[in-house]
Amino acid sequence: MRPAAVGRLRQLPAQRLQPAPHPGVHAQTRHRRADIEEWAFAQIDTIADQWADGQGFPFRFPPPSGPSGPEHRPGLQGTEMWLATLWYIADLLGIAESLGYRPRGVHRPEPAITPHP
């Protein structure tokens, strides 16, 4: 991933990125699969670099100049969303089971409402 693109990713709040990592159409086809996997592994590296031991993830990754607001500090909301994002990316790669968790609640991969037959 280009450094400028990484810089822009660091500015995104988790909920803006979340829909992007799970493009079902691309996950079911071989078209550009290598590009998708390269992108996915780069996202995992970028996200994992933001982990703060004993604290979790910030809601919004801080700019290179350092944290400037409360959204840049690790907390429950950021941790929940970024762990769900990591799970979706791992699912895209076919390795989600290796994480040992599955998103629940609003981040669950299953539909919120199951249609009745």
Side-chain angles (χ1 to χ4, degrees):
M1 179 176 262
R2 294 184 303 270
V6 171
R8 284 192 302 275
L9 174 63
R10 291 180 191 282
Q11 298 301 316
L12 290 175
Q15 82 277 16
R16 288 206 33 223
L17 179 66
Q18 256 183 303
H22 207 284
V25 172
H26 292 296
Q28 297 170 15
T29 179
R30 307 270 332 126
H31 178 68
R32 297 193 66 193
R33 184 68 189 176
D35 293 336
I36 293 166
E37 289 178 359
E38 180 182 346
W39 175 88
F41 281 115
Q43 302 316 301
I44 290 172
D45 289 343
T46 300
I47 295 167
D49 285 347
Q50 297 299 315
W51 178 259
D53 285 340
Q55 299 178 58
F57 287 107
F59 179 74
R60 183 183 303 247
F61 295 164
S65 59
S68 61
E71 73 275 10
H72 296 137
R73 290 192 285 274
L76 180 60
Q77 186 179 24
T79 300
E80 179 184 31
M81 286 192 298
W82 285 111
L83 286 175
T85 301
L86 284 170
W87 185 91
Y88 277 97
I89 294 169
D91 188 48
L92 176 66
L93 293 167
I95 58 173
E97 293 79 26
S98 67
L99 295 177
Y101 67 91
R102 182 178 182 88
R104 302 280 185 241
V106 298
H107 300 295
R108 69 187 171 282
E110 300 81 24
I113 299 173
T114 306
H116 295 283

